[in-house]
Amino acid sequence: MNTLVIYFSFDGNTKFIAEKIAETLNADMIELNTSKKYPREGFGKYFWGGKSVIFGEKPELTNTDIDLSRYKTIIMGTPVWAGSYTPPIKSFISQYKIQGKRIALFASHGGGGAEKCFAKLKKALPGNEFIGEADYLEPKKNPEDSSAQAVRWAASLTV
Ligand SMILES: Cc1cc2nc3c(=O)[nH]c(=O)nc-3n(C[C@H](O)[C@H](O)[C@H](O)COP(=O)(O)O)c2cc1C
């Protein structure tokens, strides 16, 4: 059975890491997208993003019919928002029955909150086996090191 890398990325950092992981493992990759767009700049970006985490929003995804039965291992990536995972990941988890999988978690962040984010994700995904977690500090600001870190981590996973 295959491995799936599934992620949400607002500014491309998580996407950058997801691509390295998928390449290393020759895995399928899906980017989650929302029908409604978040504000892209300035105060609005942080306000709407933070608010949607705090209120537990589950925005509608444009992705349809993701067939998880094909995958034994799911590698899930998110930016850290307000010390948690992002609303599109919440939508994905609530929309699909994710059980009996091997799951690895990764997150991009600006300096804090990844541990809390992973703890919340694990709590939201009962009935699965967690095989690894890794966090990346603003990957696009430091592409070479982040890329090497992602490749090493992916190669270390027993998928
Ligand atoms: C709404 C919002 C909330 C954020 N909250 C946090 C946070 O709590 N901790 C942190 O370290 N970074 C936080 N960040 C920064 C992002 O996690 C960081 O820039 C990440 O690399 C972005 O990933 P992306 O480019 O895949 O969207 C936040 C960013 C946004 C837009």
Side-chain angles (χ1 to χ4, degrees):
M1 267 205 278
N2 290 333
T3 297
L4 174 67
V5 177
I6 191 157
Y7 69 96
F8 173 73
S9 182
F10 196 58
D11 287 325
N13 290 278
T14 312
K15 182 188 184 83
F16 176 81
I17 297 297
E19 286 170 350
K20 303 296 163 199
I21 295 168
E23 267 169 42
T24 306
L25 296 173
N26 199 16
D28 292 350
M29 188 169 73
I30 295 174
E31 176 170 20
L32 296 173
N33 283 295
T34 57
S35 323
K36 218 170 116 190
K37 299 297 168 201
Y38 289 96
R40 297 227 53 98
E41 305 291 337
F43 175 72
K45 168 173 154 180
Y46 290 92
F47 180 76
W48 288 106
K51 177 177 128 340
S52 64
V53 171
I54 289 159
F55 287 98
E57 285 177 15
K58 288 180 271 187
E60 185 185 60
L61 301 176
T62 55
N63 313 77
T64 49
D65 300 332
I66 300 170
D67 181 9
L68 295 179
S69 69
R70 302 174 53 215
Y71 304 105
K72 182 176 75 171
T73 302
I74 298 175
I75 303 179
M76 201 182 288
T78 179
V80 176
W81 277 11
S84 190
Y85 53 94
T86 43
I89 294 284
K90 196 177 185 82
S91 305
F92 171 63
I93 289 173
S94 76
Q95 202 173 322
Y96 290 86
K97 188 167 175 283
I98 308 170
Q99 292 255 294
K101 303 291 185 190
R102 296 164 65 73
I103 297 184
L105 304 172
F106 68 98
S108 304
H109 60 88
E115 277 179 26
K116 264 208 230 162
C117 168
F118 293 145
K120 288 176 184 168
L121 270 172
K122 287 182 189 168
K123 205 172 159 198
L125 289 161
N128 297 284
E129 181 190 354
F130 291 92
I131 60 167
E133 54 194 51
D135 67 281
Y136 300 88
L137 175 64
E138 299 296 14
K140 287 203 303 184
K141 286 192 185 151
N142 201 351
E144 279 173 24
D145 286 354
S146 304
S147 169
Q149 191 194 340
V151 169
R152 265 200 316 276
W153 180 65
S156 78
L157 294 171
T158 313
V159 296

